[in-house]
Amino acid sequence: EIATATRIGQTLFSGFSERDFRTVLAAHRELPGPEELAALLKQALPEDGRAAVYRYLVAIASADGEMAGEEQTLLALVAGKLGLESAGGGHDERA
C-alpha cells in the first residue's frame, strides 16, 4: 500500500517526495486524526487542493480493487471536514 500511495502521490502532486512521505509515515502516531487533519487542511488549502487530497485518499482506499464500508464511512467524514460535501458520500472519484 505504501508503494501505491507513493506512486499516486507522485502522479497527483508536483514535488511529492517519497523520502518525506516515508518520514511522515514513520511518525504517523504523532499526526492528528483524519477528521482533525482534514479540518486543518480545509483552512490551509484552496478547494482544488482539498479536492486533490480527497482524490488521493480515494485512490489509496480503492487501490486493492475494493473499498470497504469502513473506508467509505471515513472518506465521507473526511470529505465533509474538507468542505467537499458534494464528493458523493465520500467515495466519488470525481471529487
Side-chain angles (χ1 to χ4, degrees):
E1 290 182 352
I2 292 172
T4 299
T6 299
R7 181 180 44 78
I8 294 167
Q10 290 170 334
T11 301
L12 289 177
F13 305 106
S14 65
F16 185 94
S17 165
E18 180 176 0
R19 189 174 118 217
D20 290 347
F21 181 61
R22 289 184 178 272
T23 299
V24 170
L25 290 178
H28 72 276
R29 287 187 172 85
E30 298 173 25
L31 295 173
E35 291 180 68
E36 183 181 351
L37 189 55
L40 292 169
L41 290 173
K42 181 180 179 183
Q43 296 173 15
L45 297 174
E47 185 174 356
D48 62 334
R50 297 189 315 267
V53 168
Y54 179 77
R55 285 191 304 273
Y56 180 59
L57 296 174
V58 169
I60 292 169
S62 59
D64 61 1
E66 298 180 23
M67 191 176 303
E70 296 166 336
E71 291 171 318
Q72 291 177 14
T73 299
L74 184 56
L75 285 169
L77 289 171
V78 168
K81 294 290 184 177
L82 286 171
L84 301 173
E85 285 82 5
S86 63
H91 57 277
D92 183 343
E93 294 184 40
R94 297 170 291 150

